[in-house]
């Protein structure tokens, strides 16, 4: 990259290798976001996540798929690169009229710029907690089942 700084933020916890969809082009990561898990048919929910939260999003998708939702998971390793893409690309990942959720165990406010004010951000903005990662995920509501429950409750409320 020659037009600005680059930083890599790496997690301390061990994370699984997540399979990419058939035909995945690694260069799509340079666009800042890509579909890592596609919905069966037209998506009813798009979950956007970055870093270690992508694993949570993919696992929550499996729970939600079993409850009748059609979930697309978008990995967004670089928000600013995604925002520089043309509207057609951004809309292809985050189609209008589809419920949008962002998962962020960090600063949650900026995600509304991606998912819109009517979206759901499952976030935690605190700092300084210390414990094994799974314990913190459970305490702050970031286990896949907890995330799926939050999304289902939010979707039910929106339909009511």
């Amino acid at each position: 990259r020659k037009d600005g700084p680059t930083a890599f933020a790496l997690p301390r916890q061990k994370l699984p290798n997540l399979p990419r969809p058939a035909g995945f082009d690694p260069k799509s990561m340079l666009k800042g976001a890509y579909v890592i898990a596609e919905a069966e048919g037209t998506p009813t929910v798009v979950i956007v996540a970055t870093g270690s939260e992508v694993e949570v999003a993919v696992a929550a998708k499996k729970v939600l798929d079993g409850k009748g939702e059609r979930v697309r998971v978008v990995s967004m390793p670089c928000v600013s690169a995604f925002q520089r893409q043309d509207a057609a690309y951004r809309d292809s990942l985050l189609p209008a009229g589809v419920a949008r959720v962002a998962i962020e165990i960090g600063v949650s406010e900026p995600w509304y710029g991606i998912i819109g004010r009517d979206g759901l951000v499952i976030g935690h903005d605190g700092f300084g907690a210390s414990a094994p990662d799974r314990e913190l995920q459970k305490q702050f509501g970031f286990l896949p089942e907890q995330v799926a429950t939050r999304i289902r409750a939010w979707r039910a409320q929106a339909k009511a």
Side-chain angles (χ1 to χ4, degrees), residues 94-109:
L94 305 173
V98 176
R100 298 176 183 177
V101 177
I103 303 174
E104 176 65 52
I105 306 174
V107 180
S108 56
E109 181 61 29

Side-chain angles (χ1 to χ4, degrees), residues 6 18-20 37 41 46-47 56 78 83 91 94-95 102 108 118 123 151:
T6 299
L18 296 174
R20 303 304 192 267
V46 176
I47 302 175
V56 175
C78 186
Q83 290 174 322
D91 293 345
L94 305 173
S108 56
D118 58 343
I151 293 170

Side-chain angles (χ1 to χ4, degrees), residues 13-72:
Q13 71 266 36
K14 293 181 181 183
L15 298 172
N17 288 323
L18 296 174
R20 303 304 192 267
F24 174 73
D25 179 1
K27 289 182 181 179
S28 65
M29 286 190 272
L30 298 175
K31 294 182 176 185
Y34 61 94
V35 175
I36 190 163
E38 187 57 275
E40 296 279 334
T42 303
T44 57
V45 176
V46 176
I47 302 175
V48 182
T50 187
S52 58
E53 289 88 342
V54 175
E55 172 193 12
V56 175
V58 170
K61 169 193 173 18
K62 292 176 184 172
V63 174
L64 292 165
D65 285 347
K67 304 289 185 182
E69 293 284 1
R70 295 182 309 274
V71 181
R72 170 185 289 169

